């Protein structure tokens, strides 16, 4: 069995998975500094210690301890990434280990990555609904499709 797993990890499918998983993880990681950028430019901080670095005047500090719609939009987009990219990475890894054909695997990975980039654009622009909702559904559909393959290939009951 270990030799089979080693072969699967050396496969083109696994390399494709590693590539696309890395792309969406980096995209997700980019959202944290983007949130910081919006906090700085909008002067909207969540913690008292954060405003201490920006001002020494108490009245100014109080004004900066607030929520901002733009900051919250970026935060919600980042949260949505966490809720969708983490399951994709875990299920995608298991999917890659089931030995799917390269074409199907790459199609799954590319559609998911495309859906997440479009979701971010639709969220941050913002584009009118249902654009964001549809892009979310496409990504979720890809993850469920891979999960179905994992369960139907390796179901151990």
């Amino acid at each position: 069995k270990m030799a089979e797993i080693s072969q699967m990890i050396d496969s083109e499918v696994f390399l494709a998975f590693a590539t696309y998983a890395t792309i969406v993880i980096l995209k997700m990681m980019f959202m944290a500094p983007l949130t910081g950028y919006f906090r700085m430019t909008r002067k909207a901080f969540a913690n008292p210690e954060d405003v201490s670095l920006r001002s020494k005047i108490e009245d100014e500090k109080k004004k900066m301890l607030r929520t901002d719609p733009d900051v919250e939009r970026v935060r919600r987009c980042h949260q949505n990434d966490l809720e969708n990219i983490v399951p994709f990475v875990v299920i995608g890894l298991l999917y890659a280990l089931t030995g799917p054909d390269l074409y199907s695997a790459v199609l799954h990975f590319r559609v998911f990555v495309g859906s997440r980039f479009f979701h971010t654009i639709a969220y941050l622009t913002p584009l009118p609904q249902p654009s964001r909702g549809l892009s979310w559904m496409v990504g979720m559909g890809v993850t469920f499709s891979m999960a179905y393959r994992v369960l139907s290939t390796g179901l151990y009951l």
Side-chain angles (χ1 to χ4, degrees):
K1 281 288 187 195
M2 287 306 286
E4 289 176 23
I5 292 174
S6 179
Q7 268 183 334
M8 287 179 194
I9 290 173
D10 289 337
S11 74
E12 288 184 70
V13 169
F14 185 79
L15 292 174
F17 166 72
T19 301
Y20 290 104
T22 299
I23 290 168
V24 289
I25 289 169
L26 288 172
K27 177 241 165 297
M28 180 176 63
M29 290 172 63
F30 173 72
M31 297 304 292
L34 187 61
T35 302
Y37 169 79
F38 273 83
R39 283 197 181 286
M40 298 295 258
T41 58
R42 305 308 193 269
K43 294 183 180 173
F45 300 96
N47 303 302
E49 63 272 17
D50 299 336
V51 298
S52 294
L53 295 173
R54 302 287 291 172
S55 177
K56 300 293 179 208
I57 302 167
E58 284 302 317
D59 284 345
E60 282 182 17
K61 285 182 184 181
K62 288 178 184 172
K63 289 178 185 174
M64 287 189 265
L65 267 178
R66 63 184 181 86
T67 59
D68 178 85
D70 294 334
V71 173
E72 293 306 307
R73 181 171 288 277
V74 176
R75 287 184 66 238
R76 287 190 306 271
C77 186
H78 189 195
Q79 180 67 38
N80 193 278
D81 274 353
L82 290 165
E83 294 166 358
N84 289 274
I85 291 172
V86 172
F88 166 80
V89 169
V90 174
I91 291 171
L93 173 61
L94 298 173
Y95 170 77
L97 295 174
T98 67
D101 68 276
L102 181 60
Y103 176 80
S104 295
V106 170
L107 181 64
H108 277 89
F109 304 152
R110 286 180 178 167
V111 169
F112 182 84
V113 170
S115 76
R116 291 315 302 172
F117 274 90
F118 185 79
H119 181 272
T120 298
I121 292 166
Y123 216 135
L124 299 182
T125 303
L127 296 178
Q129 281 286 36
S131 56
R132 188 179 80 237
L134 289 173
S135 64
W136 173 82
M137 287 182 358
V138 167
M140 189 63 74
V142 167
T143 303
F144 278 120
S145 174
M146 292 187 305
Y148 176 79
R149 162 78 186 206
V150 171
L151 292 174
S152 65
T153 302
L155 194 59
Y156 186 80
L157 297 172

